[in-house]
Amino acid sequence: MPKRRRPHGSPPLEPAERASAAEIGRDARTAAVAGRQWGVVDHGQLLALGYSRSAVQRAVGAGRLHRRYQGVYTVGHTVLRREGGWLAAVLACGPGAALSHRSAAQLWDLRPSSRAPIDVTVTHRRLAPPGIDLHETCRLAGAEVTARGGVPVTTIARTLADLAAVVRPRDLERTLERAQAQHVLDVPSILASARHRPGAVLVRRILDAWEPSRTKSELEVALLGLVRRARLPEPSVNAHLEGLEVDLLWDEARLVAEADSVQFHLTRAAMERDRARDAVLARAGYRVLRFTDRQVHGRPDEVIAALRAALS
């Protein structure tokens, strides 16, 4: 690639100007990395981008970097989205760390939380940075760690197993119910992750008594009851279609009915997931009708009329 020529007669760059030009390019590369990481970078990444230790200190002094934790910085500003705060906490805990417990359950959209401290699991002993609840473990298998939105996080199964040690039994049951409603409950994997973990006894006790109904929520049971009471054709329940599990399916009529409870379907992530599911089914030639708690329990005649019209 040819070198860019300076205009004829231009004076040579002074050392300070050369340093400024280098810093501008380095800052642009730093911003690109931060843009992929919710606005945060760690010290190792800064060194790889060409910073020296003194250059990092100068950038902090100039307000281009802001220290979030020891060795972790936000770029250009101090305000982070929730994911940025989680990623910063994980980076602050070193290689192999992962978001876990209550914070991981929140990331997986399984359990809301207003707690300020962030839960992170590590496999090596270290002091907990301020604002982080550190959980040490001697084993965090590669299969138990993944990433969501660029944030290293324990898998759903490991997250649910870990929760047993830090939440009340009823809260754990509710979280398991939410995982079941979202079709992400994998009982064998949870039991495997819970083995030799704090809370393992509670996990086994709850799951041993777990009796998932043929449908996966009370609303689905109620919707199926309306279908039978109206003597409509019997649907397939929790059938698999186009790689998805649907609540009620009338395959010959190319019709799917989904029960959308307020508890599990009104978050932004849940609504986006539902729309994506509907698009997949529509491309395959299926019509999708969605019914809420209020419709099923408060206006059952309208639900039956809609289903009868779609099936006729």
Side-chain angles (χ1 to χ4, degrees):
M1 183 175 179
K3 295 182 178 179
R4 295 179 61 185
R5 295 180 177 274
R6 291 177 53 75
H8 182 68
S10 297
L13 286 174
E14 295 296 326
E17 293 179 294
R18 287 199 297 271
S20 177
E23 286 178 357
I24 290 172
R26 188 179 61 201
D27 288 349
R29 294 192 300 273
T30 304
V33 172
R36 298 190 294 269
Q37 297 186 164
W38 302 102
V40 301
V41 294
D42 65 20
H43 190 71
Q45 291 172 325
L46 291 175
L47 295 180
L49 287 165
Y51 285 80
S52 63
R53 296 182 185 277
S54 59
V56 171
Q57 293 174 354
R58 288 198 300 272
V60 171
R64 297 194 301 275
L65 295 175
H66 302 271
R67 186 176 286 106
R68 182 81 172 195
Y69 299 103
Q70 182 66 36
V72 179
Y73 305 86
T74 62
V75 177
H77 57 83
T78 59
V79 178
L80 289 177
R81 290 185 56 176
R82 184 180 60 178
E83 293 85 352
W86 286 332
L87 179 57
V90 172
L91 292 175
C93 295
L99 197 73
S100 63
H101 295 73
R102 290 151 295 206
S103 300
Q106 190 176 6
L107 176 56
W108 286 117
D109 194 28
L110 293 176
R111 183 177 184 272
S113 176
S114 58
R115 294 180 72 251
I118 297 173
D119 291 302
V120 177
T121 290
V122 296
T123 55
H124 52 279
R125 185 176 296 277
R126 59 161 297 152
L127 292 176
I132 296 177
D133 275 352
L134 208 58
H135 306 269
E136 295 178 11
T137 181
C138 59
R139 186 181 71 89
L140 190 59
E144 293 180 316
V145 177
T146 184
R148 191 179 200 204
V151 181
V153 60
T154 51
T155 60
I156 291 175
R158 175 64 187 249
T159 298
L160 292 171
D162 285 337
L163 273 181
V166 295
V167 302
R168 296 174 299 179
R170 182 56 189 143
D171 290 336
L172 179 60
E173 289 180 11
R174 289 195 184 100
T175 308
L176 290 169
E177 289 166 1
R178 189 170 183 121
Q180 186 183 49
Q182 294 184 11
H183 312 305
V184 295
L185 186 68
D186 183 347
V187 172
S189 294
I190 296 171
L191 291 173
S193 290
R195 192 177 298 121
H196 309 306
R197 301 286 307 141
V201 173
L202 174 60
V203 171
R204 284 195 298 272
R205 177 168 62 79
I206 291 176
L207 292 178
D208 284 347
W210 194 260
E211 296 179 359
S213 56
R214 188 166 169 242
T215 57
K216 291 186 175 167
S217 76
E218 292 181 2
L219 184 60
E220 290 175 31
V221 173
L223 179 58
L224 181 59
L226 290 184
V227 169
R228 290 172 174 168
R229 193 169 71 206
R231 300 184 182 279
L232 296 175
E234 184 74 10
S236 299
V237 179
N238 297 140
H240 289 273
L241 183 66
E242 298 296 315
L244 302 171
E245 185 176 288
V246 299
D247 296 341
L248 306 182
L249 168 66
W250 291 267
D251 199 32
E252 290 186 5
R254 314 291 282 183
L255 177 66
V256 169
E258 297 276 62
D260 290 355
S261 66
V262 172
Q263 183 180 6
F264 299 128
H265 288 268
L266 285 189
T267 65
R268 178 177 177 178
M271 287 190 287
E272 290 177 353
R273 184 169 56 250
D274 288 342
R275 300 302 176 269
R277 285 167 56 89
D278 291 353
V280 170
L281 295 172
R283 288 196 296 270
Y286 288 85
R287 181 181 178 186
V288 181
L289 296 180
R290 293 186 172 276
F291 300 105
T292 65
D293 305 71
R294 183 173 294 181
Q295 289 174 298
V296 172
H297 294 295
R299 301 197 298 272
D301 292 342
E302 293 180 12
V303 173
I304 292 171
L307 288 171
R308 181 172 281 123
L311 288 167
S312 62

